[in-house]
Amino acid sequence: MDRIKMINPVVEMDGDEMTRILWQDIKDQLILPFVDLKSLYFDLGLPERDRTDDQVTYDAAEAIKKYGVGVKCATITANTQRKEEYNLKQLLPSPNATLRAALDGTVFRAPIVVNGIDPSVSCWKRPIVIARHAYGDVYTAVEHRVEGPGLAELVFTAEDGTETRKPIFRFEGPGILQAMHNHDASIYSFARACFQYALSEKLELWFATKDTISKIYDHRFKDIFNEVYENEFKEQFEAAGITYFYTLIDDALARIIRSEGGFLLATKNYDGDILSDLISRAFGSLAMMTSVLVSPDGKYEYEAAHGTVTKHYYRYLKGEKTSSNPVATIYAWTGGLRKRGELDNLPDLVKFADDMEAAVIRTISSGIMTGDIAALYDGEATQVTSTEFLAAIRKSYEDNL
Ligand code: NAP
Ligand code: MG
């Protein structure tokens, strides 16, 4: 059988621990037998990041900017415990944070829905996708511990030296302070990425903040979304038969719980952080959640939403067979290859990605699955190891050819 040819490469970023093992198995079992893979390989595993003082991460980010499509394995974010475990020179920042900053992106997280694994919320029939603004707010805030009485003020010094001061609070005793920011350019990018994604997936778009309380900060987000919609996307949305609406974050959550799903909810950084874990768990497992970082100029980075599954890796090192779920990592590969196929006009590559995802869904629907979802499955489930699961997916794909 001829393998599917590619024109441009995908940027391949290897990772750590159990997901690094799965990464290689997925390539060997599900990709390389069928695709004449063109990839630019960057080893983002912790030892190589440490050895290169993180240069490899910056190089990978530049390569995504150049080639437009990346696929990433989960990676360890170093902490003091990892420093000892891996005998590291330093504590480097999270690769995901570095890539997000480089691509100025928005992260979209969508659950993979399978019959028999019912959402905890019984009225949800279709996926709920979360878009998270990946810049600023509390993640880049400056904090201060107030030790005793005094006046806190917000001071802005313009380039020409003009100062604007606003009193924050007159402390009578000890307390805490926090200052956060965002900037218009990043919010415009966020808004455009959301409208673009909703359009390409034909999903209704909801955007929610707390502008009634935050009359300048959150209100700016609301105004920018509105402006971008009216000026750039309204006609395209109407033509596609989808709608955009803004509502308060508390109202949005109250509506979600009674909805049927099937929409994109855009949120600020913190709201998206906490909501994406909640939504993914309610749909099943972290390993059944896709994640893609989209930059305003149309660069894409696909990954799984979960981490390196450390506990399973330690069991694997002891020689035990693990039942770690490779689905989100497979979807990172199929997502990246599908996008590459769309950009390079390669229908066979697009079809490969569609067919491989269909094989994953068929395999699970036939009752063969890993432990994390077997526990949730409404029916007779056969729990298999990761290796057996990948073999079953390959067989289902080949049987369908
Ligand atoms: P994790 O790797 O997501 O795993 C947490 C738990 O979730 C696992 O112990 C496992 O539960 C379950 N789980 C997650 N993925 C699974 C899968 N594919 N199959 C089956 N079960 C799965 O999170 P963590 O243990 O908090 O973090 C481990 C490392 O990952 C850390 O070093 C962290 O820095 C890194 N991390 C990386 C990323 C990323 O690169 N995107 C994201 C998050 C965390 P059971 O043990 O109950 O089976
Ligand atoms: Mg989180």
Side-chain angles (χ1 to χ4, degrees), residues 160-177:
D160 68 2
T162 323
E163 273 189 6
T164 313
R165 277 173 184 271
K166 291 184 182 180
I168 298 171
F169 188 67
R170 184 171 293 283
F171 285 88
E172 306 278 342
I176 40 183
L177 271 171

Side-chain angles (χ1 to χ4, degrees), residues 13-20 43-50 54 57 72-86 88 90-98 303 306-311 313-314 317:
M13 291 160 281
D14 209 341
D16 289 297
E17 300 194 313
M18 202 62 226
T19 39
R20 188 180 180 96
D43 185 359
L44 264 52
L46 188 52
E48 184 63 7
R49 278 183 276 140
D50 194 53
D54 221 13
T57 310
K72 180 180 169 291
C73 179
T75 46
I76 292 171
T77 300
N79 56 20
T80 44
Q81 180 232 321
R82 298 297 198 164
K83 195 167 178 218
E84 262 177 42
E85 184 183 353
Y86 283 82
L88 302 174
Q90 61 217 318
L91 283 185
L92 295 166
S94 141
N96 292 324
T98 304
E303 60 177 359
H306 60 76
T308 59
V309 214
T310 310
K311 283 188 212 147
Y313 182 60
Y314 292 156
L317 289 180

Side-chain angles (χ1 to χ4, degrees), residues 138-191:
V138 72
Y139 299 84
T140 47
V142 177
E143 303 193 322
H144 181 70
R145 164 75 173 134
V146 175
E147 299 290 354
L151 175 67
E153 289 179 289
L154 199 60
V155 182
F156 175 75
T157 314
E159 292 260 71
D160 68 2
T162 323
E163 273 189 6
T164 313
R165 277 173 184 271
K166 291 184 182 180
I168 298 171
F169 188 67
R170 184 171 293 283
F171 285 88
E172 306 278 342
I176 40 183
L177 271 171
Q178 183 187 65
M180 56 187 199
H181 79 280
N182 224 300
H183 59 105
D184 283 14
S186 181
I187 305 170
Y188 275 107
S189 298
F190 169 45

Side-chain angles (χ1 to χ4, degrees), residues 132 273-274 276-277:
R132 169 183 174 190
D273 185 355
I274 56 172
S276 56
D277 283 12

Side-chain angles (χ1 to χ4, degrees), residues 2 4 15 17 67 75 101 106 115 135 173 208 212 221 228 250 271 274 307 320:
D2 281 347
I4 296 161
E17 300 194 313
Y67 292 98
T75 46
T106 300
N115 273 340
Y135 177 82
T212 45
F221 278 80
V228 170
D250 31 3
D271 299 338
I274 56 172
E320 288 174 37

